[in-house]
């Protein structure tokens, strides 16, 4: 839902695809027992992460890496074991240490090890040595067990995995591609892909806790990581210490990722005025990026450009990959995740409108995803819950969505590979208000991926277990990211002292 520089752009949209209906062949594991199997905790052989050349960006000084052994199928805990890549940064002040804080990444498809590398120093500054900082790569990601659907290159492009309708709103090509993708994953993904579920990620996290020797964990989950965190807190409530959910969406167990996808049109509508104000500001003129003199003129300009590109795509600096209307729309979705991405999208618009310029696509849109990244993009969301398969119903929903939210042109309601997937092995976890009152939520008022209305659904589900910090700031991912000093202080104080606001609270602006 899970973040939008080039790396973030790809990761956050991993949360928006879809999940599970009727293709034969993908064998899902049996549901696990309600309690963790009574086996001894795994041991971890820690080494310096600097010894692993695969890690990018380079690990932080003192960052350690290990491999955690977990059951491929928790229904058969003594059966085949697979590896989960894990990492930690020990507290630099052992006398202040109070436990371990798990950094839970977004996606599905983001690397926890990489996120720890990116955020570790900032967390250390904020938390004053109160925690060992730990993270894991979920199944399907980074150094953990992987899967491969063997998809064609064109089917691995983000703009195709995301099922954008054609220029007239038709979905025939989306239906064919979705069916083809589901069949390829059923044929080639194997038990590894079938094991990639949110429930198993929560179980793996508890195995990690046990291997660390911790009675309880604290956590900071972002985007899809908030759902993983909520599921963990529901399954293992008395193993949670201080729990932060940053940028949550609706945990409705009947829809899960299908519901997250459905909110994206509203999210783009909520967030676009921030970009429009930025793009119409006089300061943009000297940068060559001012799109209009009035903010209210930016939206029709972008919509009209996308429609023009639907009819007549233009060449880009990437041979064989022209800029289409849907590529422009996808680039916009990516850019809305962070103010720092506004300039890149404005440059793309300016160049696309200029007859003598050749636009350069953002890196995440210029090439196809690697096979294993494409597999995890669809795997978790399709394994988690059954999705409706009716093509006529999707066609009607797309038409209504296109009229309601032109910026997203119908894709939040479109069909995905999950409509042709084998039914999931277990029902999604229902998030409830039963459990310790130790959760702090932080949510942007203008989030393009997990809009405020969706976050309020998580807040309602958790009841008195949670407090909500609302941040009047656009973007996705608030703590130590797009948020403000007020919101950051609230999260830091909770993690350091355990003190939450007495009631839901509001942070007014970036100055905080």
């Amino acid at each position: 839902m899970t973040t939008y520089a080039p790396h973030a752009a790809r990761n956050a949209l991993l949360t928006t695809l879809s999940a599970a209906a009727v293709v034969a062949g993908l064998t899902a594991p049996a549901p696990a027992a309600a309690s963790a199997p009574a086996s001894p905790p795994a041991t971890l052989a820690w080494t310096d992460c600097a010894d692993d050349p695969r890690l990018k960006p380079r690990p932080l000084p003192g960052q350690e890496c290990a491999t955690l052994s977990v059951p491929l199928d928790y229904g058969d805990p003594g059966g085949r074991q697979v590896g989960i890549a894990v990492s930690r940064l020990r507290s630099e002040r052992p006398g202040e240490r109070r436990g371990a804080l798990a950094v839970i990444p977004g996606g599905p498809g983001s690397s926890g090890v990489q996120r720890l590398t990116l955020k570790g120093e900032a967390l250390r500054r904020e938390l004053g040595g109160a925690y060992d900082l730990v993270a894991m790569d979920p199944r399907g990601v980074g150094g953990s067990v992987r899967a491969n659907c063997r998809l064609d290159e064109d089917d691995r492009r983000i703009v195709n995995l995301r099922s954008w309708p054609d220029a007239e709103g038709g979905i025939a090509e989306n239906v064919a591609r979705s069916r083809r993708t589901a069949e390829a994953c059923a044929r080639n993904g194997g038990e590894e892909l079938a094991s990639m579920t949110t429930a198993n990620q929560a179980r793996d996290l508890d195995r990690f806790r046990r291997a660390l020797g911790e009675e309880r964990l604290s956590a900071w989950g972002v985007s899809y990581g908030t759902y993983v965190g909520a599921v963990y807190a529901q399954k293992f409530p008395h193993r949670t210490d201080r729990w932060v959910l940053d940028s949550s969406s609706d945990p409705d167990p009947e829809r899960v990722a299908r519901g997250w996808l459905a909110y994206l049109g509203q999210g783009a509508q909520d967030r676009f005025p921030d970009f429009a104000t930025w793009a119409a500001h006089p300061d943009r003129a000297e940068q060559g990026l001012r799109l209009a003199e009035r903010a209210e003129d930016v939206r029709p300009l972008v919509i009209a450009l996308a429609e023009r590109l639907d009819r007549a795509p233009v060449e880009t600096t990437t041979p064989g990959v022209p800029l289409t209307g849907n590529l422009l729309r996808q680039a916009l979705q990516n850019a809305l995740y962070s103010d720092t991405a506004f300039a890149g999208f404005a440059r793309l618009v300016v160049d696309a409108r200029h007859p003598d310029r050749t636009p350069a696509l953002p890196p995440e849109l210029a090439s196809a995803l690697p096979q294993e990244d494409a597999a995890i993009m669809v795997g978790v969301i399709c394994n988690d819950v059954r999705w409706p398969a009716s093509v006529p119903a999707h066609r009607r929903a797309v038409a209504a969505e296109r009229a309601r939210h032109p910026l997203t042109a119908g894709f939040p309601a479109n069909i995905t590979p999950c409509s042709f997937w084998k039914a999931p092995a277990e029902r999604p976890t229902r998030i409830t208000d039963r459990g310790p009152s130790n959760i702090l939520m932080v949510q942007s008022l203008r989030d393009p991926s997990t809009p405020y209305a969706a976050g309020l659904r998580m807040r309602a589900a958790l009841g008195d277990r949670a407090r909500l910090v609302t941040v009047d700031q656009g973007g996705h991912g608030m703590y130590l990211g797009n948020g403000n000093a007020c919101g950051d202080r609230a999260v830091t104080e909770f993690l350091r002292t355990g003190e939450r606001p007495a009631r839901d609270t509001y942070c007014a602006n970036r100055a905080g």
Side-chain angles (χ1 to χ4, degrees):
M1 290 180 262
T2 182
T3 313
Y4 259 139
H7 167 74
R10 190 194 75 205
N11 288 343
L13 56 84
L14 302 182
T15 64
T16 64
L17 287 168
S18 329
V22 305
V23 137
L26 190 61
T27 305
S35 59
S39 56
T43 57
L44 295 171
W46 294 105
T47 61
D48 192 327
C49 290
D51 297 334
D52 189 340
R54 300 172 301 171
L55 296 183
K56 294 178 182 178
R58 297 302 301 153
L60 297 170
Q63 187 173 353
E64 298 175 291
C65 287
T67 299
L68 173 71
S69 182
V70 301
L72 178 66
D73 177 359
Y74 277 94
D76 181 19
R80 179 184 166 194
Q81 306 293 296
V82 293
I84 301 294
V86 298
S87 184
R88 77 176 171 189
L89 278 168
R90 289 180 182 269
S91 167
E92 69 276 33
R93 299 177 186 172
E96 303 294 325
R97 183 189 182 278
R98 62 173 311 279
L101 175 76
V103 176
I104 308 177
S110 294
S111 162
V113 175
Q114 184 181 57
R115 184 158 183 84
L116 178 59
T117 304
L118 291 169
K119 294 294 187 179
E121 289 293 0
L123 283 168
R124 278 181 156 178
R125 286 194 302 271
E126 289 290 312
L127 303 181
Y131 300 93
D132 289 346
L133 306 175
V134 302
M136 68 182 194
D137 282 351
R139 299 177 188 221
V141 179
S144 295
V145 60
R146 307 292 294 272
N148 186 338
C149 292
R150 297 192 176 91
L151 302 178
D152 293 341
E153 180 179 2
D154 196 50
D155 290 344
R156 288 184 279 115
R157 294 189 180 277
I158 287 174
V159 75
N160 292 331
L161 279 170
R162 281 199 118 186
S163 286
W164 289 90
D166 68 24
E168 304 302 320
I171 67 169
E173 185 176 349
N174 304 130
V175 171
R177 192 186 305 276
S178 294
R179 189 186 301 276
R180 183 167 67 242
T181 297
E183 289 174 347
C185 289
R187 189 167 55 249
N188 303 313
E191 294 179 333
E192 294 82 2
L193 184 62
S195 80
M196 294 172 189
T197 67
T198 300
N200 277 345
Q201 187 172 337
R203 295 175 182 125
D204 292 346
L205 182 60
D206 199 59
R207 281 290 181 114
F208 189 23
R209 175 196 61 78
R210 297 176 67 209
L212 290 167
E214 301 288 339
E215 284 296 316
R216 295 187 296 168
L217 277 178
S218 293
W220 170 36
V222 181
S223 191
Y224 165 69
T226 65
Y227 181 62
V228 176
V231 169
Y232 183 94
Q234 197 70 40
K235 287 182 172 293
F236 307 100
H238 299 297
R239 297 303 184 185
T240 62
D241 187 6
R242 297 172 185 172
W243 221 246
V244 175
L245 305 183
D246 179 348
S247 304
S248 302
S249 197
D250 187 349
D252 180 356
E254 300 302 319
R255 299 196 304 165
V256 192
R258 181 163 63 93
W260 309 338
L261 180 67
Y263 273 106
L264 292 182
Q266 182 64 50
Q269 179 173 295
D270 291 348
R271 173 64 162 149
F272 190 86
D274 290 340
F275 171 72
T277 298
W278 180 93
H281 195 281
D283 287 355
R284 304 290 90 77
E286 59 190 53
Q287 301 168 315
L289 299 177
R290 194 178 191 194
L291 300 186
E293 293 186 359
R294 302 186 308 162
E296 56 265 37
D297 294 331
V298 175
R299 185 173 184 269
L301 181 151
V302 170
I303 291 172
L305 176 61
E307 291 172 348
R308 192 189 89 192
L309 292 170
D310 283 336
R311 299 186 297 271
V314 300
E315 289 186 8
T316 68
T317 56
T318 303
V321 186
L323 178 60
T324 63
N326 283 339
L327 269 176
L328 184 77
R329 295 180 184 104
Q330 182 63 66
L332 171 62
Q333 302 314 302
N334 297 2
L336 294 178
Y337 279 68
S338 173
D339 291 6
T340 60
F342 286 177
F345 180 71
R347 174 62 61 194
L348 183 65
V349 170
V350 168
D351 290 349
R353 299 179 73 214
H354 198 291
D356 298 324
R357 295 184 185 175
T358 303
L361 293 175
E364 70 273 10
L365 301 184
S367 60
L369 289 171
Q371 288 281 5
E372 291 166 327
D373 290 359
I376 186 61
M377 273 190 73
V378 294
V380 171
I381 59 177
C382 293
N383 288 332
D384 267 2
V385 68
R386 184 184 295 273
W387 287 57
S390 168
V391 172
H394 278 96
R395 189 178 293 116
R396 291 190 296 271
V398 165
E401 178 68 16
R402 282 170 66 84
R404 187 181 305 116
H405 296 125
L407 288 170
T408 48
F411 99 80
N414 205 355
I415 201 163
T416 73
C418 302
S419 288
F420 305 102
W421 210 263
K422 182 180 174 65
E426 58 185 306
R427 289 185 60 80
T429 300
R430 180 175 294 278
I431 307 305
T432 75
D433 60 359
R434 296 188 297 276
S437 184
N438 62 356
I439 299 172
L440 182 68
M441 294 177 59
V442 57
Q443 195 84 17
S444 165
L445 277 177
R446 299 183 302 285
D447 187 319
S449 181
T450 56
Y452 193 66
L456 291 179
R457 296 293 186 115
M458 178 72 85
R459 175 68 187 87
L462 291 168
D464 198 50
R465 297 177 71 185
R467 298 290 184 272
L468 172 64
V469 178
T470 296
V471 180
D472 188 1
Q473 173 62 36
H476 184 61
M478 290 292 102
Y479 186 51
L480 306 182
N482 290 305
N484 60 27
C486 165
D488 286 355
R489 275 197 305 270
V491 175
T492 296
E493 181 175 1
F494 172 59
L495 290 175
R496 292 188 70 157
T497 71
E499 293 296 321
R500 298 182 308 179
R503 58 187 62 84
D504 291 353
T505 190
Y506 170 76
C507 287
N509 55 55
R510 189 183 293 275

